[in-house]
Amino acid sequence: MSDIAKNIAEIKEKIAFSEKKAGRKAGSVKLMAVSKFHPAESVIDAINAGQNLFGENRVQEASAKFEQLRSQGFNPELHIIGSLQRNKVKEAVRIASCIESVDRIELMQEIEKQCARYSEESGAEKKIEILFEIHTGEDSKSGFESNDLLLDAVSRCASGEFPHLVVKGLMTMAPNTTDESLIRASFRTLKKLQGELSSQYPSLSFDELSMGMSNDYPIAIEEGSTIVRVGTAIFGERDYSK
Ligand SMILES: *Cc1c(COP(=O)(O)O)cnc(C)c1O
């Protein structure tokens, strides 16, 4: 068994334990393997261990890697989780099933435009799932800049302005700290917002809460996470010099 397979098995056990501890249904939390900075070979190890959902934060890197995987007959699901520039959206909608890092209306407009264009070209309707990325901690840099901008974006989705975008929920990153109370507060903020948006916009679905990473996913599960994004604990440390 590869180290990656062992790590995945271990994390799945911990997820099951946390689900149980929190009184949640078994299987209510999906594991995303964050493969940024790791090669296609590592992704294949994970696929062979039964992993099908992956996350990448840079479109160019993801595109090259997942192209290679497809040429080898693998077709895993990919979510984009990093801040996204407009000129990368065209490629992002071609390789990913979900963009979790939606943080501004201009980005939504570009995603809508590229999905419409792709639908026209391919003759098949291309829709993409999105999560709204939210600031919930002191030191977080990414996410909607204000609650007003978020509410504007959500209400424009509800009124049908973005027919190719399928709203699935919310995403956040907890502050990078060892203070568990700050991390927990961040996740609770996202959970609370989910409740508010769900009742305010009943035509949209906010079922998915993408929160929790290698260092804090058990806490995230206790606070209601449905997708945990785990990189280092599966693939090891990233080599940023590459
Ligand atoms: C890199 C990254 C992760 C994974 O982080 P680890 O600490 O390695 O588990 C999760 N979410 C986002 C948005 C990331 O950029």
Side-chain angles (χ1 to χ4, degrees), residues 34 36 57 81 171 173 213-214 229-232 238:
V34 178
K36 65 187 184 195
N57 67 345
I81 58 174
M171 185 268 247
M173 281 214 249
M213 312 189 352
S214 292
R229 308 180 308 268
V230 179
T232 308
R238 289 178 283 275

Side-chain angles (χ1 to χ4, degrees), residues 24 183 187 211-213 216-225 228:
R24 298 182 55 193
I183 295 171
F187 295 147
M211 56 188 201
M213 312 189 352
D216 55 20
Y217 70 88
I219 305 172
I221 293 170
E222 288 172 27
E223 299 301 335
S225 172
V228 290

Side-chain angles (χ1 to χ4, degrees), residues 133-147:
E133 184 174 358
I134 312 295
H135 276 293
T136 55
E138 278 308 312
D139 63 349
S140 90
K141 310 167 286 290
S142 40
F144 272 86
E145 269 176 12
S146 74
N147 206 43

